[in-house]
Amino acid sequence: MSVYIMDHPLIQHKLGIMRRKTTSTKEFRDLVSEVAMLICYEATRKLPLTEIEIETPIEKTTAREIEGKKLCIVPILRAGLHMADGILNLIPNAKVGHVGLYRNEKTLEPVEYFCKLPSDASEREIFIVDPMLATGGSAVAAVNLMKKRGVRKIHFLCLIAAPEGVERLTREHPDVDIFIGNLDERLNENGYIVPGLGDAGDRIYGTK
Ligand code: PRP
Ligand code: URA
């Protein structure tokens, strides 16, 4: 297991715009997709390649393509959906599963309401995406759901994480690689990431 924290200037610049409370719903939503694409670029760096024979207009040669069964993106609803949209721009042939989870406002524990994965998910490399890793409860529950369905190669991608969430996810699922846009300071008494960006789902969909 490894934890990768992105220090790319483009990611930091875009996260800075997203954090501002004056950023509009449309701009926020577009930036979720853009930052997800940039994190995905790093998260797919180690995918195994295989050589294939091809023919260019000039001659036969070998090219490299991603080996084996392709990938599966699994957004945690709701906020992960726009991350998945961004990543599909880079990997249009990836399959998509969905996990529905929301946090109980009092206990902060995740409540599951939906899970639908491709039938061959266990043969694929899975990228769970959710903008926020706060207490880690939702991420741990999503990984539990994947593992129950036989999935073994799992990566977790988020835009912003709290140290508490990273600690919980690495403790409960040490085999999962975690890719983080920025590691923030802490959680507040309501379980929100500080300084964070507020409630990601509400900011993407203009609810609240
Ligand atoms: C947010 C976020 C994560 C979760 C993170 O979702 O998108 O799924 O909270 O918090 P945790 O690490 O403490 O579990 P939320 O529950 O607000 O649902 P929503 O996306 O439907 O708004
Ligand atoms: N979920 C969010 O959307 N934001 C936080 O800061 C914590 C959990």
Side-chain angles (χ1 to χ4, degrees):
M1 178 280 308
S2 301
V3 178
Y4 300 89
I5 299 169
M6 308 290 119
D7 56 1
H8 196 287
L10 279 176
I11 295 178
Q12 295 308 316
H13 179 88
K14 288 173 191 289
L15 285 178
I17 301 172
M18 294 178 71
R19 290 181 192 276
R20 288 176 205 165
K21 63 180 181 187
T22 49
T23 296
S24 71
T25 300
K26 182 194 179 303
E27 198 178 4
F28 188 90
R29 194 185 293 147
D30 291 345
L31 286 163
V32 169
S33 299
E34 288 174 25
V35 178
M37 271 193 270
L38 294 167
I39 297 175
C40 172
Y41 184 75
E42 280 302 320
T44 50
R45 183 178 287 281
K46 290 186 185 158
L47 287 179
L49 292 169
T50 189
E51 296 211 330
I52 53 162
E53 295 291 320
I54 61 157
E55 199 168 348
T56 76
I58 310 298
E59 65 168 14
K60 286 189 178 168
T61 185
T62 52
R64 294 187 293 168
E65 67 172 21
I66 294 169
E67 190 180 88
K69 280 266 183 190
K70 303 285 189 286
L71 313 177
C72 178
I73 305 161
V74 179
I76 300 181
L77 307 178
R78 297 173 295 168
L81 276 176
H82 272 273
M83 286 185 73
D85 283 350
I87 292 172
L88 283 170
N89 288 321
L90 291 181
I91 315 171
N93 291 328
K95 294 219 173 157
V96 181
H98 294 88
V99 170
L101 293 168
Y102 69 87
R103 289 201 309 181
N104 177 301
E105 282 182 12
K106 288 206 178 79
T107 65
L108 300 183
E109 283 304 312
V111 180
E112 181 196 334
Y113 60 90
F114 190 72
C115 183
K116 180 94 178 161
L117 301 182
S119 54
D120 60 357
S122 62
E123 297 162 45
R124 291 175 181 266
E125 231 166 284
I126 301 278
F127 292 76
I128 301 175
V129 297
D130 189 327
M132 310 304 275
L133 178 62
T135 65
S138 303
V140 165
V143 175
N144 285 340
L145 285 168
M146 300 300 112
K147 288 187 175 175
K148 250 192 236 166
R149 287 161 175 78
V151 175
R152 285 294 162 257
K153 284 192 182 164
I154 304 173
H155 313 263
F156 183 84
L157 279 60
C158 65
L159 306 190
I160 293 186
E164 294 88 333
V166 177
E167 193 278 326
R168 181 165 172 189
L169 183 55
T170 52
R171 180 167 30 87
E172 298 203 27
H173 292 293
D175 53 326
V176 172
D177 283 340
I178 309 173
F179 296 85
I180 299 169
N182 197 74
L183 183 63
D184 275 18
E185 286 165 26
R186 61 184 168 86
L187 293 179
N188 70 12
E189 57 286 1
N190 300 316
Y192 278 86
I193 300 176
V194 178
L197 46 72
D199 187 302
D202 284 343
R203 294 200 65 185
I204 291 169
Y205 295 107
T207 44
K208 203 167 241 175

